[in-house]
Amino acid sequence: MSQKVALLATAAVAAAVIYAGLQRRRKDAARRTTHTLAWTGALEDIPENEPVLLMECNALVGEGVVWDAKTQALRWVDIEGRRLYRLRYQTREVVSWELPKRASMACLREGAESDKATLPLLMGFEDGFALYNPETRATQYLPGDYVQEGNIRLNDGRCDRQGRLVCGGVNLDHIDEALDVWHATVSTYQIGEDMRANQVLPGPYRCYNATSFSPDGRTMYMADTPSKQILAYDYDPMTGNISGKPRVLKEFTEEEGNPDGATVDASGNVWVAEFWAGRINCIAPDGSTVRRIEIPHAKRTTCCCIGGPQLDTLFITSACIGLTDGELKQQPWAGGLMAIKLGKGFRGIPEARFFG
């Protein structure tokens, strides 16, 4: 091969490498999208008296909202839309990433700079738990007892006060039908220092939700959504053991919605989203109702967390899946992200990070 031919071959290879890199960056750019907030005022000026629409996400199933106190950022997912969102509080910057599969939660991690998009998050994908990099899509699945069988996926999960993740699943077969047809088939899993998903509550459940922990970490709350009950388990914060027969914290009436995602404030109150009702219900540790917040334009409220620099703002996700055109006109906030200042006497707790 002549020197000229060799040079041409080398140039062709270099051009191909450059072209492949450009194509890869274009694909990455398509997967990463920037958004604008619907709320045009300062985030510090979110009112106390009524919720506001913070962002029009049009999420099919918005879920898993969590406040990162370390980086002053909010994260949530659209499960069926397969997107991960992040809102930086100080700059108002909102970015979302396309996900390769349905994911119900993105867990904060300890011991790393979680504000960097390149940090692998602990994700609850439909087919298992994985460390996932939203920029590169590098995925490392964790071993364990969870196996995706039939039409199930992972659903609701949060970390306990020590940094273990607890997460349960949902059976999507016949989800809109009677309970004798919608079968209970899913369990609850915990990931600790061994980085393995171990079954801790066999259930079985139809739709596990409302994972949250008391301020001292000695009570774990959860719900099997169609049962219309929030249960309270004794929880050992040192070992992560769940013990004893659960007590019923609250049983929802037929007029109320079904318990979905939840969080706990500094006073031990449980704030739970009522799916179907467009409401957040604040429940005291003794089961009494402390406060109700109506979400006027979104009936399918899904999850909530307390965040903001002063931990005084309630953020709420919602769903628009299954709504007709007429229902969407009646519920213009459906699929959106809402917020309301909680006012005097209510403060959140910094969300625990997964210690792995």
Side-chain angles (χ1 to χ4, degrees), residues 56-313:
E56 294 177 313
C57 314
N58 299 312
L60 293 174
V61 183
E63 265 287 5
V65 64
V66 58
W67 173 256
D68 184 349
K70 180 178 179 181
T71 63
Q72 299 290 287
L74 190 75
R75 288 182 175 86
W76 71 100
V77 297
D78 177 358
I79 299 176
E80 295 297 331
R82 302 186 182 190
R83 296 204 76 85
L84 166 67
Y85 289 85
R86 183 194 64 203
L87 161 63
R88 291 189 186 277
Y89 193 90
Q90 300 299 334
T91 65
R92 300 172 60 95
E93 176 199 42
V94 184
V95 176
S96 73
W97 293 266
E98 177 188 347
L99 297 172
K101 299 177 182 179
R102 293 177 297 182
S104 60
M105 45 144 284
C107 188
L108 306 175
R109 292 177 62 202
E110 192 56 85
E113 292 298 325
S114 294
D115 59 331
K116 295 181 179 178
T118 53
L119 173 78
L121 299 166
L122 176 56
M123 303 288 293
F125 285 117
E126 59 184 286
D127 59 348
F129 300 95
L131 300 180
Y132 178 75
N133 186 318
E135 291 285 1
T136 67
R137 287 194 160 193
T139 308
Q140 178 188 347
Y141 277 91
L142 304 184
D145 298 331
Y146 174 76
V147 178
Q148 187 181 30
E149 296 177 338
N151 194 16
I152 69 170
R153 63 166 169 78
L154 289 173
N155 198 42
D156 184 88
R158 288 193 188 273
C159 285
D160 68 14
R161 298 300 171 198
Q162 282 62 46
R164 305 176 195 87
L165 175 66
V166 177
C167 180
V170 57
N171 176 20
L172 298 171
D173 274 336
H174 308 291
I175 191 170
D176 292 323
E177 299 186 41
L179 297 188
D180 59 344
V181 179
W182 182 14
H183 295 146
T185 62
V186 297
S187 303
T188 308
Y189 304 88
Q190 183 187 79
I191 303 178
E193 291 179 309
D194 61 356
M195 298 294 284
R196 185 183 189 280
N198 300 298
Q199 186 187 79
V200 287
L201 288 176
Y205 307 109
R206 293 177 177 85
C207 183
Y208 177 94
N209 259 312
T211 317
S212 48
F213 296 87
S214 60
D216 63 5
R218 296 186 177 279
T219 303
M220 185 187 90
Y221 301 101
M222 59 79 59
D224 188 9
T225 292
S227 72
K228 298 183 75 74
Q229 293 180 334
I230 293 184
L231 301 181
Y233 280 91
D234 290 336
Y235 193 89
D236 188 332
M238 299 305 296
T239 65
N241 288 338
I242 305 170
S243 60
K245 183 179 179 180
R247 63 182 175 87
V248 177
L249 176 71
K250 176 176 173 60
E251 185 152 7
F252 291 78
T253 66
E254 287 302 316
E255 290 71 30
E256 294 177 305
N258 289 0
D260 205 324
T263 191
V264 173
D265 68 18
S267 299
N269 301 312
V270 180
W271 299 75
V272 59
E274 291 184 34
F275 196 83
W276 302 119
R279 182 186 300 120
I280 305 298
N281 201 320
C282 178
I283 307 160
D286 64 3
S288 60
T289 297
V290 177
R291 182 178 177 185
R292 290 188 177 95
I293 298 175
E294 303 292 334
I295 310 299
H297 307 300
K299 294 298 182 183
R300 301 185 177 190
T301 40
T302 55
C303 194
C304 60
C305 76
I306 302 174
Q310 306 303 318
L311 294 173
D312 61 353
T313 305

Side-chain angles (χ1 to χ4, degrees), residues 48-62:
E48 293 181 13
N49 56 330
E50 60 181 358
V52 298
L53 178 64
L54 201 58
M55 179 178 163
E56 294 177 313
C57 314
N58 299 312
L60 293 174
V61 183

